[in-house]
Amino acid sequence: MARIRWVGFDGDDTLWKSEDYYRQAEADFEQIVGAYVDLADARTHQHLLEVERRNLKIFGYGVKGMTLSMLETAIQVTGERISARDLHRVIEIGRATLQHPVDLLPGIRDAVERIAADHEIVLITKGDLFHQEAKIAQSGLTDLFHRIEVVSEKDEATYARVLRELDVAPPEFAMVGNSLRSDIEPVLALGGWGIHMPYHVTWALETEHGVDADAPRLRVVENAGQVADALAAIEAMPAT
């Protein structure tokens, strides 16, 4: 039988809602910029995405990087005509997004408790350190995890480091998350297992991945209540 020693959980849009607040921030941003330009003609949404992609290596993931990218985009698409008052409104969008409530996804606490009863579990989440720490504290899940990792990027190198520090081999590790790009693909590449729990909305940059739907170490669940069963099915498989 395949033995899973450690189970990893993503944070945003796996344990709690997140992308919904980013989408609302983008809608509020476009309402401000729309007073200056035709949003379609200016390709405002695409322009913002391109600026965010370019800025990731400088500002990193999270609300603060998004807010700086919104300010840069607003200045560019309006030809520097946007007022200081409206730039301040963009900053307030970022502030409000940083202060959004932490709403756990349905059934996630029970799912985490069920898995923690038989496995060591680690929370691996990326983004701004202060914001992630605040969300983790507000989630009420902190005491369930044996380890918490807030990282700047979720790639093969990051997961390899975490697994080394946990002293666990990739085939003995399973990662639960909503993002194929960040939560699943790097773990599969290392030889671990991925349990994909899609969220109803995904940031465009997180949809860019190379995971095959029939990848042998990939399992897909519809909700948190199915995660433990997916893990049990993995462990029931013959060891290879």
Side-chain angles (χ1 to χ4, degrees):
M1 298 175 66
R3 180 188 176 213
I4 301 297
R5 290 178 49 214
W6 277 85
V7 178
F9 282 87
D10 168 52
D12 293 343
D13 299 321
T14 297
L15 299 181
W16 50 71
K17 299 177 182 179
S18 178
E19 187 61 24
D20 306 79
Y21 299 107
Y22 283 84
R23 291 299 176 94
Q24 183 59 55
E26 289 180 0
D28 294 342
F29 167 75
E30 290 186 352
Q31 184 176 27
I32 294 171
V33 174
Y36 295 86
V37 298
D38 183 288
L39 296 175
D41 287 348
R43 298 174 59 252
T44 305
H45 181 76
Q46 185 62 30
H47 193 115
L48 175 60
L49 188 62
E50 291 168 357
V51 172
E52 287 180 310
R53 187 196 305 275
R54 185 175 66 247
N55 286 340
L56 275 179
K57 293 183 179 180
I58 303 171
F59 302 141
Y61 294 89
V63 177
K64 294 175 186 176
M66 176 197 72
T67 304
L68 290 169
S69 292
M70 283 182 172
L71 290 169
E72 181 178 348
T73 299
I75 292 168
Q76 291 176 347
V77 299
T78 64
E80 302 183 357
R81 292 183 295 112
I82 189 168
S83 69
R85 176 179 177 275
D86 282 335
L87 289 176
H88 187 261
R89 291 173 64 195
V90 173
I91 293 173
E92 288 303 313
I93 290 173
R95 193 191 310 275
T97 308
L98 282 169
Q99 296 173 331
H100 72 70
V102 177
D103 295 325
L104 296 184
L105 296 189
I108 197 65
R109 184 176 183 87
D110 289 344
V112 174
E113 288 179 340
R114 183 176 171 187
I115 292 172
D118 299 311
H119 301 83
E120 302 287 323
I121 61 172
V122 55
L123 171 58
I124 308 176
T125 186
K126 72 179 179 184
D128 177 77
L129 178 61
F130 289 168
H131 194 203
Q132 290 297 322
E133 286 181 337
K135 287 191 283 188
I136 292 167
Q138 294 172 39
S139 73
L141 301 174
T142 307
D143 292 344
L144 297 178
F145 288 93
H146 301 95
R147 180 164 177 149
I148 293 174
E149 292 275 346
V150 179
V151 300
S152 58
E153 183 59 274
K154 294 169 83 170
D155 53 18
E156 286 185 48
T158 298
Y159 283 105
R161 173 188 63 78
V162 172
L163 295 187
R164 283 196 305 270
E165 294 178 0
L166 297 177
D167 192 26
V168 60
E172 299 173 320
F173 177 76
M175 182 68 186
V176 182
N178 70 293
S179 171
L180 287 169
R181 175 181 179 268
S182 294
D183 304 320
I184 307 300
E185 186 169 23
V187 175
L188 297 183
L190 290 171
W193 297 84
I195 299 177
H196 183 218
M197 187 172 71
Y199 194 58
H200 71 94
V201 60
T202 302
W203 186 34
L205 296 186
E206 289 293 337
T207 64
E208 301 170 355
H209 63 83
V211 179
D212 293 330
D214 58 352
R217 290 181 176 271
L218 171 66
R219 300 294 182 271
V220 181
V221 298
E222 295 181 356
N223 53 60
Q226 297 177 355
V227 173
D229 291 338
L231 184 61
I234 291 171
E235 294 190 299
M237 297 180 64
T240 58

